[in-house]
Amino acid sequence: MSTLILDGKVVRAAGLPELKARIEALMKPPTLAIIQVGDREDSTSYIKAKTAFGEKLGVKIKHIKLAEKISEQELIAKISECNQDETIKGIIVQLPLPIALDQDAIIEAISPKKDVDGLTSFNVKRWLEGREDAVIPGTTRGVKELLEYYKIDLFGKHVVVVGRSMLVGKPIAAYCLNENASVTICHSKTADLASETKRADVLIVAAGKPGLIGANHVREGTVVVDVGINTVKGEKLEDEIPSKKLVGDVDFEAVKDIASAISPVPGGVGPMTVLAIFENLADLCVKE
Ligand code: NDP
């Protein structure tokens, strides 16, 4: 049996015409503000990818670059300006922020009406409650739409999520629960990771640890979704960060012949997250 590759680039390309039509149907082309603090090479590269995709859709991107040493008050003031600017319909604060800044406080400064990443507590609460009008966090929406495209139904399945962050692991676990899966969440203190992951029908990994999941973590026929994005030294592929190679949390070569389906890195969840952010933007423009 050949393994199905969950190809985020293909799914994103398939979703582009409908989303473009939704954006074109708006009264005015929306502007998405992307706030970058500092000069991280990986952040710059992700912003480039979002900008290129946004431009294909007719969305104006306002890339606001701020100094690494900006104070929390100054950054919050910048976000408030974007909240008040009526031409700006969505705001992304590119994460991670420099450690001196309180990430939660910064995210909370984004108006929930412009929170295309779905990370403010207002939106997270709605999402956890399973409300229809919730903004689904970008990565979670990306995983959801990738699985839906390939008709992988979670109903009654055992899903194991590795990672429990508020930004990625927990919202993905909540989505799986809302889809009537039984969910196990693993983390760095899980005593025997392999014995947990081997019980999965669907294994979703978001740990930020390259190669964490190998052949001994996966049983025959499991669907494996690799959310991790890690940069390692090596020969780069197209579209990647200059001089760095992107890998996921799953050892793709070791797992690909055991899994029934697997998402690659790059080219799996990453492109889907970009699509999801612009879908959230279109939803928020309509809700206004
Ligand atoms: P965090 O560092 O916030 O969380 C990592 C989680 O993984 C934690 O819950 C941690 O456990 C767990 N973990 C770490 N090491 C292990 C281990 N050895 N065994 C089991 N669990 C472990 O990262 P994020 O959630 O923000 O991101 C996770 C990954 O997803 C990163 O690689 C990130 O780059 C990627 N990402 C990808 C996106 C995409 O679009 N594809 C978007 C956003 C993020 P504990 O809680 O105990 O510390």
Side-chain angles (χ1 to χ4, degrees), residues 248-259:
D249 292 343
V250 177
D251 181 343
F252 184 86
E253 286 305 317
V255 169
K256 74 174 193 316
D257 295 327
I258 308 170

Side-chain angles (χ1 to χ4, degrees), residues 35 72-73 75-84 91-95 97 101-126 128 137 166-167:
I35 301 176
E72 205 166 295
Q73 291 88 328
L75 177 53
I76 289 176
K78 202 50 156 173
I79 295 170
S80 301
E81 263 177 44
C82 294
N83 286 339
Q84 275 147 30
I91 302 169
I92 292 174
V93 174
Q94 187 65 40
L95 302 176
L97 289 168
L101 296 168
D102 178 348
Q103 187 163 297
D104 290 343
I106 306 297
I107 289 172
E108 283 312 295
I110 300 171
S111 161
K113 290 184 182 158
K114 299 189 179 185
D115 173 23
V116 288
D117 270 330
L119 299 178
T120 57
S121 54
F122 179 90
N123 281 324
V124 170
K125 180 170 178 291
R126 287 185 168 212
L128 291 177
M166 277 306 290
L167 303 185

Side-chain angles (χ1 to χ4, degrees), residues 139 162-165 168 187-188 206-209 212 227-230 269 273:
T139 313
V162 182
R164 58 174 167 181
S165 74
V168 188
H187 45 79
S188 68
K209 296 280 177 265
L212 177 66
V227 182
I229 300 180
N230 309 289
V269 176
T273 302

Side-chain angles (χ1 to χ4, degrees), residues 17-35:
E18 189 189 329
L19 183 54
K20 192 165 190 288
R22 287 184 66 199
I23 301 280
E24 281 168 359
L26 298 168
M27 299 276 277
K28 272 191 194 162
T31 298
L32 173 67
I34 306 181
I35 301 176

